[in-house]
Amino acid sequence: MMTTTRAFSAHLSQALRERVLSLSDTSRPEGPALLAAAAGTEIAKATGFGPLEKLCKPLIVPSALAVALRDGRLNPVDTALLSVTGAAYTTGDVILMLGDGHAGRSTSRLVSGAAAFGVGHLALGGMMLRSGLRFKPAQAAVHGVVAGAVGAVLLSEDRANAPLAAYAGLLATLSALATSVDRRSGPGASVLAVAGPVFLLSDSLILLRRRAEEGSALARALDVGVIDTYATAALLLLTGTAAAARTAGATA
């Protein structure tokens, strides 16, 4: 068991290093484009310069999707599921961005954004299941506790938060499935072990940001933190799931 864990950890470390290095590969535009989009959005959030955010943020997920697709051929169904995920995430980004972003207090707009992301999570989860990933009891239990706690907090604040509580459960379910990845899915898929929790962290920071005083240093730091974690999670989820699908296709 310890040997298996160490081997998986080694695969994960190597896969993460390779993914970071691929972003600076100027022979392919997708990686540098993702870095530029994320950096531009961070600057926009840190300075409050809205036009720059509107230019850069919608490019984060399409760039991550391009990186995932460039890594190798996928069958038509998996390509469609991955593309649906990318389109849904980008739609969610636009919905939230046009409603004052992370600072928005509108529950209805947040629910609309969550609905768009939910479609992406369902498509990506379906692709993971097609690739052979299955829930492991420990991961399911831990994420169940997290989803329950977040849902309880949201509902205690306002019953109108019920859709957000449901979204938290869906995201936790996706993260539980992603973190159930093992060596059978191939080295490239190992990044899913951190992708799900990072996405959970990103959305948790959004909820914290809504409570921060507008214009404060804390608010701007949380804004940047949301973008950092979101861009990282999107890249690792899309590329890791694509890698799992390729491994499943090669062994079928």
Side-chain angles (χ1 to χ4, degrees):
M1 182 66 176
M2 289 296 293
T3 301
T4 300
T5 301
R6 283 196 295 268
F8 181 81
S9 297
H11 280 312
L12 175 58
S13 297
Q14 181 63 27
L16 289 172
R17 283 195 296 269
E18 290 177 354
R19 184 52 60 205
V20 170
L21 291 174
S22 73
L23 295 179
S24 58
D25 181 5
T26 55
S27 67
R28 305 290 295 270
E30 301 91 348
L34 174 59
L35 287 177
T41 308
E42 289 171 350
I43 293 170
K45 287 296 187 183
T47 61
F49 187 54
L52 182 59
E53 179 186 5
K54 290 178 173 58
L55 175 66
C56 294
K57 191 177 182 184
L59 300 178
I60 292 176
V61 173
S63 299
L65 176 62
V67 172
L69 292 174
R70 84 176 184 192
D71 285 344
R73 184 178 179 82
L74 293 169
N75 67 48
V77 174
D78 288 328
T79 299
L81 287 171
L82 201 66
S83 298
V84 167
T85 300
Y89 285 1
T90 302
T91 299
D93 279 340
V94 172
I95 290 172
L96 295 179
M97 181 179 64
L98 297 181
D100 296 327
H102 311 150
R105 263 64 174 185
S106 170
T107 298
S108 61
R109 186 175 290 274
L110 197 58
V111 168
S112 296
F117 278 104
V119 171
H121 295 338
L122 288 171
L124 199 63
M127 187 174 171
M128 290 180 189
L129 291 171
R130 279 176 47 81
S131 301
L133 272 72
R134 296 295 182 267
F135 292 99
K136 293 182 178 179
Q139 281 82 348
V142 170
H143 284 83
V145 171
V146 171
V150 172
V153 170
L154 287 170
L155 291 174
S156 68
E157 294 177 349
D158 191 337
R159 291 294 177 181
N161 286 335
L164 297 180
Y167 170 80
L170 176 59
L171 177 55
T173 300
L174 180 71
S175 182
L177 182 58
T179 54
S180 296
V181 68
D182 56 32
R183 295 178 63 192
R184 290 173 294 182
S185 295
S190 62
V191 298
L192 291 173
V194 297
V198 172
F199 210 124
L200 280 170
L201 174 60
S202 182
D203 278 5
S204 297
L205 292 177
I206 289 178
L207 294 178
L208 289 175
R209 172 62 180 85
R210 296 177 78 210
R211 298 170 178 267
E213 180 182 351
E214 186 61 31
S216 67
L218 176 60
R220 295 192 186 281
L222 286 171
D223 276 335
V224 173
V226 169
I227 296 303
D228 284 342
T229 50
Y230 172 61
T232 300
L235 174 66
L236 297 183
L237 276 174
L238 294 175
T239 57
T241 304
R246 292 187 187 99
T247 297
T251 57

